[in-house]
Amino acid sequence: MPTVNQAALENDHLLRGVWEGLGSPKCHITGGYVRDRLLGQESVDLDLVLPGDIEILAGSARRLAARLDARVHVLGRDTNRVWRIECPEIKIELWPLGDLSLDEDIKRRDFSCNAIFWQLPHGPLDDRIGGLEDLENGLIRALSKRNIGDDPVRLLRGPRFLAQLEGYDLDPETADWIGSLAPAVSKAPRERIGQELLKLLDAPGAADGLRSLLDLGLLESAAPRSARFDRDWIERNFNAAASLSGSAPHPVTEAIRAGGSAPHLALILRAWGCPDADAVAPFAWSRTERRHAARAAALLGRALR
């Protein structure tokens, strides 16, 4: 079972520095940073929750950005606006509670591993939904079908966590929810889908994450609208194509290896029928990523033969 260690948060100098840079307010950190630090992993994405609205947080956001010599701006619309602070080392988002209580904010989260709150600077840990137990048991569990259905991009996070967290399994009920909601991904913003897929592909267990995307019907739903999804091909060649980057030296293998995450991205593009550059542009992958992956996808048939 995974080892969970709260001391990593208690002794986190980065968190202490961020809290002081904000002016030492009452606030909590949650999401992936808490999850990763509890598991002894490094993380660079900080989601902080503070009382007040977006305007009230403006002073704290600008104060921290000045301390970090970073860019600060507002993301989102209406009641979903957050302050984003970006610098080369870390990315910080300040989420205003607005009219919500902390309990309401916790219970609207997507997965239990993302709904554990740590009060800065020294705690305590606030876990009202069993997220710590799920971490200890190696389980990825959604809080509710409604929570993950409200934002279809959240459906992709189950497979992404499988890729990122070694030794974890998807809760069976959660898998059923994701599978039944998978068609909704076809209407989600392609740029956000593209970012979720890249995070999955860059993870140590990318092949496991891709397998989950395929089994849950998400890979087909995430495809460009003009794509011709070829399930038979990917089912036949999934294992062989995923291992190409570790093969002996060969012109095709070298071309695939040069792209970093391109072997798995190429597998996705090939499953989508090798869509052209215009079709995948909305996913906001870099030009280099698209070029390497498209080249590798075109070569997959030859490589597998």
Side-chain angles (χ1 to χ4, degrees), residues 61 65-66 68-75 83-88 92:
L68 296 173
D69 192 22
R71 187 168 67 96
V72 59
H73 57 101
V74 174
L75 289 178
W83 285 100
R84 165 73 73 86
I85 301 168
E86 297 183 62
C87 53
I92 301 170

Side-chain angles (χ1 to χ4, degrees), residues 9-200:
L9 290 169
E10 295 169 1
N11 303 316
D12 194 312
H13 297 296
L14 174 60
L15 285 184
R16 178 66 184 239
V18 167
W19 177 70
E20 292 174 348
L22 288 169
S24 305
K26 180 178 180 180
C27 66
H28 293 78
I29 185 164
T30 187
Y33 192 91
V34 174
R35 177 196 69 228
D36 292 344
R37 297 300 290 131
L38 286 172
L39 295 174
Q41 300 176 10
E42 296 301 318
S43 184
V44 296
D45 293 318
L46 288 76
D47 292 329
L48 297 163
V49 178
L50 296 89
D53 57 28
I54 195 75
E55 287 78 18
I56 289 175
L57 300 189
S60 296
R62 291 174 179 136
R63 184 185 302 114
L64 178 59
R67 178 167 176 164
L68 296 173
D69 192 22
R71 187 168 67 96
V72 59
H73 57 101
V74 174
L75 289 178
R77 298 178 179 177
D78 303 324
T79 58
N80 293 320
R81 291 186 298 165
V82 302
W83 285 100
R84 165 73 73 86
I85 301 168
E86 297 183 62
C87 53
E89 297 81 14
I90 56 175
K91 295 179 181 177
I92 301 170
E93 290 187 353
L94 307 181
W95 291 76
L97 274 173
D99 296 331
L100 293 176
S101 67
L102 187 64
D103 187 68
E104 289 171 327
D105 187 57
I106 290 172
K107 292 178 179 177
R108 69 173 180 167
R109 301 279 163 169
D110 51 7
F111 290 82
S112 64
C113 63
N114 277 349
I116 305 171
F117 282 55
W118 175 261
Q119 184 171 327
L120 273 63
H122 301 304
L125 196 71
D126 195 332
D127 175 25
R128 308 182 189 189
I129 39 68
L132 196 61
E133 182 180 357
D134 287 341
L135 279 184
E136 292 171 339
N137 292 330
L139 193 66
I140 297 168
R141 177 176 63 86
L143 269 62
S144 72
K145 184 175 183 178
R146 177 178 178 177
N147 283 18
I148 57 175
D150 283 344
D151 179 0
V153 177
R154 287 179 164 184
L155 303 175
L156 301 171
R157 293 177 186 166
R160 195 241 293 174
F161 294 150
L162 286 178
Q164 292 176 324
L165 304 174
E166 184 180 359
Y168 278 72
D169 295 312
L170 198 58
D171 166 62
E173 185 174 41
T174 297
D176 289 341
W177 291 342
I178 294 175
S180 66
L181 294 168
V185 173
S186 64
K187 300 178 181 178
R190 286 299 183 267
E191 181 177 359
R192 293 182 60 208
I193 290 174
Q195 293 308 304
E196 286 294 328
L197 290 176
L198 281 187
K199 290 176 183 178
L200 184 154

